[in-house]
Amino acid sequence: MIGTILQTYRVVVDPLVWEVLLIILVIAAVLGLTYLLRIHIAYRMAKNRHRDPLGWVLLSFFFSPLLTWIILLIVGDNTSSHPNTN
């Protein structure tokens, strides 16, 4: 029964639909890569400030990378994790 229905009806999709879907896919990919780049910047900032990168990456992922950058700039360098060079 279903086989005969599938054989008798054809779905025709306008080529414009495929172009729109491709544009949406490209925009989503670019936004996703931009978001991942921002998370990577938060990782590098945390690592350079001797902070736990995983915790800051998770904070950046679940909240805002920009907010994470601002917090990392405010808290500054972790002086307890590296030796004092006086």
Side-chain angles (χ1 to χ4, degrees), residues 4 9 11 13-14 22 25 29 33-34 45 50 61 63 70 72-73 81:
T4 59
Y9 293 106
V11 177
V13 179
D14 187 24
L22 181 63
L25 180 66
L33 289 175
T34 303
M45 285 179 69
H50 306 286
F61 183 77
F63 293 105
I70 292 170
L72 277 169
L73 287 172
S81 67

Side-chain angles (χ1 to χ4, degrees), residues 3-47:
T4 59
I5 292 174
L6 291 177
Q7 289 176 355
T8 57
Y9 293 106
R10 292 182 185 260
V11 177
V12 178
V13 179
D14 187 24
L16 183 63
V17 172
W18 296 113
E19 291 177 16
V20 170
L21 287 176
L22 181 63
I23 290 171
I24 291 172
L25 180 66
V26 168
I27 290 172
V30 167
L31 289 175
L33 289 175
T34 303
Y35 195 73
L36 288 176
L37 177 67
R38 289 180 178 185
I39 290 174
H40 179 71
I41 291 171
Y43 169 81
R44 298 289 295 184
M45 285 179 69
K47 191 171 181 180

Side-chain angles (χ1 to χ4, degrees), residues 9 18 29 32 37 46 51 53-54 56 64 69-70 73 78 82 85:
Y9 293 106
W18 296 113
L37 177 67
R51 304 250 173 216
L54 179 62
W56 288 99
S64 168
W69 298 348
I70 292 170
L73 287 172
N78 187 3
H82 61 279
T85 57

